[in-house]
Amino acid sequence: MYRAIQFFFKTCLHSFYSNVEVEGTENIAPDGYPAILVANHSNSLTDAIAILSTVPPKIRSMVRLTAKDTFWHKPGVFNDCSYVIKNAGTIPIKRRKDYDNQKVDNTDAMGALIDSLGTGSCVCMFPEGISRYHSQLAPFKAGVAMIASDTLSRYQDKPDFSLTLMTASINYLHREKFRSDVVVTFHSPILLTPQQDPKLFSANKEERTEAIRKLTDLLENTVRSTLLHAQDWQTVRIGHTARKLYAGDLGTRISLGQYVRLTRKFVAAFNQHKQEAVDAKAVPVAEGANLGEGGLETLKTEDSLDMKQQEYQDQLDFYHLKDYRIQQGKPPVKVLLVKLFQRFLLACLLSFISIPGLLLWAPVFIAVKYQERQIRRKGPLEDNLDEIAQYKLMIATFFLPVIWGFWVLMTLPIALITGPGIIILMWLTIRWLEDLIHNAKSMLSLLRLMVMTEDTMFSLQDCRRELAGRVHEFAVQYLKLPEDPEELARENRTRKENSGWFGRLSGSYFSIKRRRRKDWNEVMRLHDVTNYD
């Protein structure tokens, strides 16, 4: 049953998200070794689906989840979800938040967790304690470290017992957007043993508390180390802008993991600068010379760079143009007209062949759009937006078998053909829609270039040249990035899976790199989505 659920989750994840890249699977403890897998929690139930889908079954045949016990009582579509969760070996955890902040008893759950670890199981936990659509990681609760403490205490008499703490960082570029990208990174494990870590179960309460606190901090810092983590979404936004200005030509010649790490370097630097700026305002001006390398002068320089990048990105958003369009400049009108005509013909073809599949997908798209609007009306987006991807997956899970079954019954005499044919057609329709959206986005950009005045283009290019120079200098001097960004592409040694003729077919038409030549960070929209709040 677990293998079937894992396959189902993997199909859901790869259907909703266009590209799912996994790094560091060699850091996953194999079967038979007691382990706790710790990850950030920014996308509700989708985080659990991502973990179960990306842990290779050859390394770890089963990962048990923990989840809030309210999942067992959800109505409607969540009845099916509860069935799936229970059969995945999930352990229910009571949260005070779900019981009017009253004290809850998780004794049985903790006992089940420790028993499971004693038999060599792997348990996945989310120490933030709550899923949240925020730009930064929430402080970790001490629950994982306390479970590790109790586990070591129970098995301290076993000389060969060890507990492996594994950490994973899940980066969603646009977590709630259909056909966006995800990268899951597994970090080097932390090995605990009763002999090497006796402070975790010391009889001295203060010593034990301090050890638990240090372990919790270590887990939090490790997970944060590869996340796009910032004080606010605007910092994440200008981090993406800086990466484009420094290495926009690389496109998908670098891996998605490299893309995220490169963006993170800029985000982390700008985030640190903002914190230093806040600290600078809290001290007298006379002490400013001691604030970091370069003092107040450095802060003012970075302030100016931040503002300039925001203004430049605002202009790109206003004209709905990509950065590379500004870099290349405005082509002659004749060239624009030829390109427009070519894309118009391709759009007509893609629209025509997509019609049958769109009719099949229509109930799903309508239901998903309705549910998304309902969620956005519930209250603050930061408290509810993380649920959108979860609901989209659940709605699709409910509707797709119904749609398939209905049309198979309607075409019963040729059901052997329509059965697999409907699945293939619906999958191909998504591919064609991605190409259609990309083509339509390109057409709109060409139209905007046609109506844009030469003065406006020259102004944008001058702004870009100045910014690109400053960002490049900042990247090389402060972030220690290569002088030539092409070195990053040469470092990309992502191994391609050898999967025979079907793999070669997937590597051509079905390749994500074929459709996203310029940037990883794209979704099925007619304009770039650069705002996250």
Side-chain angles (χ1 to χ4, degrees):
M1 174 61 76
Y2 178 82
R3 284 295 182 90
I5 291 171
Q6 189 179 44
F7 175 78
F8 170 72
F9 279 166
K10 192 168 186 176
T11 302
C12 289
L13 190 73
H14 285 266
S15 297
F16 186 82
Y17 294 105
S18 191
N19 190 59
V20 181
E21 189 169 299
V22 188
E23 300 178 319
T25 53
E26 68 277 5
N27 294 319
I28 298 174
D31 279 331
Y33 289 82
I36 301 177
L37 177 54
V38 174
N40 57 302
H41 201 17
S42 62
N43 207 8
S44 196
L45 184 60
T46 313
D47 294 327
I49 293 174
I51 291 296
L52 261 65
S53 303
T54 54
V55 173
K58 290 182 180 179
I59 300 176
R60 198 88 210 189
S61 59
M62 183 176 184
V63 177
R64 300 191 68 179
L65 296 169
T66 57
K68 56 185 181 181
D69 71 330
T70 54
F71 270 125
W72 272 252
H73 316 296
K74 289 278 187 179
V77 122
F78 274 98
N79 285 329
D80 300 328
C81 180
S82 297
Y83 174 79
V84 172
I85 289 174
K86 290 175 184 177
N87 282 277
T90 305
I91 299 171
I93 303 291
K94 294 179 180 178
R95 304 185 308 174
R96 295 183 63 177
K97 175 186 174 183
D98 300 320
Y99 292 89
D100 298 325
N101 288 321
Q102 300 296 315
K103 188 175 181 180
V104 294
D105 183 11
N106 278 310
T107 305
D108 292 341
M110 295 302 105
L113 272 173
I114 296 172
D115 290 343
S116 178
L117 292 170
T119 60
S121 294
C122 176
V123 178
C124 178
M125 301 189 73
F126 301 100
E128 287 177 275
I130 185 172
S131 174
R132 53 207 296 277
Y133 187 85
H134 285 213
S135 59
Q136 55 187 341
L137 191 72
F140 275 15
K141 299 183 184 303
V144 172
M146 292 174 69
I147 291 171
S149 168
D150 292 343
T151 304
L152 292 179
S153 177
R154 179 182 292 189
Y155 300 105
Q156 60 181 299
D157 295 331
K158 291 186 176 182
D160 59 343
F161 182 82
S162 65
L163 177 63
T164 303
L165 300 184
M166 302 180 294
T167 51
S169 302
I170 311 172
N171 276 291
Y172 301 91
L173 295 189
H174 288 286
R175 69 198 76 186
E176 82 285 6
K177 297 284 192 272
F178 186 47
R179 307 305 289 166
S180 56
D181 302 315
V182 186
V183 58
V184 181
T185 304
F186 294 96
H187 304 280
S188 298
I190 302 167
L191 188 66
L192 304 176
T193 65
Q195 291 75 27
Q196 294 180 354
D197 304 281
K199 291 182 180 180
L200 279 171
F201 56 93
S202 171
N204 185 312
K205 185 177 180 181
E206 291 184 0
E207 188 175 52
R208 178 173 177 265
T209 301
E210 179 64 14
I212 288 174
R213 185 192 64 78
K214 287 183 177 179
L215 180 57
T216 302
D217 290 344
L218 176 61
L219 293 172
E220 181 181 332
N221 292 332
T222 305
V223 171
R224 185 190 290 115
S225 66
T226 53
L227 286 178
L228 294 177
H229 168 92
Q231 295 180 25
D232 50 58
W233 288 115
Q234 185 62 35
T235 305
V236 177
R237 181 175 181 248
I238 62 173
H240 279 287
T241 304
R243 175 198 41 76
K244 287 185 286 190
L245 291 166
Y246 168 72
D249 292 338
L250 296 181
T252 53
R253 289 187 291 128
I254 59 176
S255 69
L256 178 57
Q258 284 179 298
Y259 174 97
V260 169
R261 285 190 292 277
L262 180 58
T263 306
R264 189 192 179 279
K265 285 181 179 291
F266 288 103
V267 171
F270 296 145
N271 191 58
Q272 181 181 355
H273 157 63
K274 283 193 172 184
Q275 186 58 52
E276 289 175 351
V278 171
D279 294 342
K281 293 176 182 178
V283 298
V285 176
E287 298 176 14
N290 298 322
L291 292 173
E293 189 176 350
L296 287 177
E297 196 61 40
T298 301
L299 292 179
K300 290 177 181 178
T301 301
E302 292 188 26
D303 262 336
S304 172
L305 182 59
D306 286 359
M307 291 300 297
K308 286 287 186 181
Q309 286 184 106
Q310 289 181 40
E311 291 170 4
Y312 177 66
Q313 186 61 59
D314 288 342
Q315 290 185 75
L316 291 181
D317 292 347
F318 177 77
Y319 292 108
H320 293 295
L321 291 175
K322 286 180 172 288
D323 173 67
Y324 79 89
R325 295 282 190 191
I326 306 302
Q327 186 179 13
Q328 292 176 353
K330 182 177 179 179
V333 175
K334 186 181 293 185
V335 174
L336 290 172
L337 288 172
V338 171
K339 289 184 176 181
L340 272 171
F341 181 68
Q342 291 173 341
R343 283 160 176 72
F344 174 75
L345 292 179
L346 180 58
C348 291
L349 174 62
L350 290 170
S351 299
F352 178 74
I353 62 178
S354 298
I355 290 174
L358 281 174
L359 293 175
L360 295 174
W361 277 105
V364 177
F365 291 159
I366 293 170
V368 161
K369 198 64 183 176
Y370 172 79
Q371 185 63 45
E372 182 174 353
R373 288 182 177 178
Q374 293 298 109
I375 292 173
R376 289 180 180 274
R377 290 173 181 171
K378 281 171 61 176
L381 289 182
E382 62 182 19
D383 294 332
N384 298 292
L385 208 56
D386 62 296
E387 296 182 358
I388 290 179
Q390 164 190 293
Y391 276 98
K392 286 180 177 179
L393 285 169
M394 292 303 105
I395 289 170
T397 301
F398 173 77
F399 271 103
L400 290 179
V402 174
I403 293 169
W404 180 83
F406 173 79
W407 286 106
V408 166
L409 288 175
M410 292 293 290
T411 57
L412 199 55
I414 54 170
L416 291 177
I417 298 174
T418 56
I422 289 170
I423 296 173
I424 294 171
L425 176 60
M426 294 183 77
W427 181 251
L428 283 174
T429 300
I430 296 300
R431 287 290 190 250
W432 294 331
L433 280 176
E434 286 182 299
D435 283 344
L436 178 59
I437 295 296
H438 177 81
N439 189 70
K441 186 189 297 185
S442 180
M443 287 178 64
L444 290 173
S445 295
L446 293 173
L447 285 170
R448 293 182 187 108
L449 286 174
M450 285 189 67
V451 300
M452 179 179 283
T453 65
E454 295 288 346
D455 289 343
T456 302
M457 175 57 77
F458 289 149
S459 175
L460 286 171
Q461 286 183 311
D462 288 343
C463 177
R464 190 197 183 281
R465 273 192 294 269
E466 179 196 353
L467 262 180
R470 293 177 62 185
V471 168
H472 188 274
E473 181 182 1
F474 179 80
V476 174
Q477 291 187 5
Y478 294 96
L479 303 184
K480 308 304 178 185
L481 290 170
E483 180 76 29
D484 181 9
E486 287 292 331
E487 290 184 26
L488 298 174
R490 290 191 285 270
E491 290 173 7
N492 180 18
R493 297 189 178 93
T494 304
R495 296 179 180 178
K496 295 183 179 179
E497 201 174 347
N498 182 14
S499 51
W501 68 269
F502 186 76
R504 289 190 292 273
L505 176 65
S506 298
S508 55
Y509 181 77
F510 291 96
S511 171
I512 184 65
K513 293 187 178 182
R514 176 187 175 275
R515 293 185 304 282
R516 295 188 177 176
R517 294 181 293 273
K518 301 299 180 184
D519 204 347
W520 284 110
N521 194 14
E522 292 184 1
V523 293
M524 289 182 67
R525 294 289 188 276
L526 290 175
H527 58 85
D528 281 345
V529 181
T530 64
N531 289 310
Y532 297 85
D533 51 2

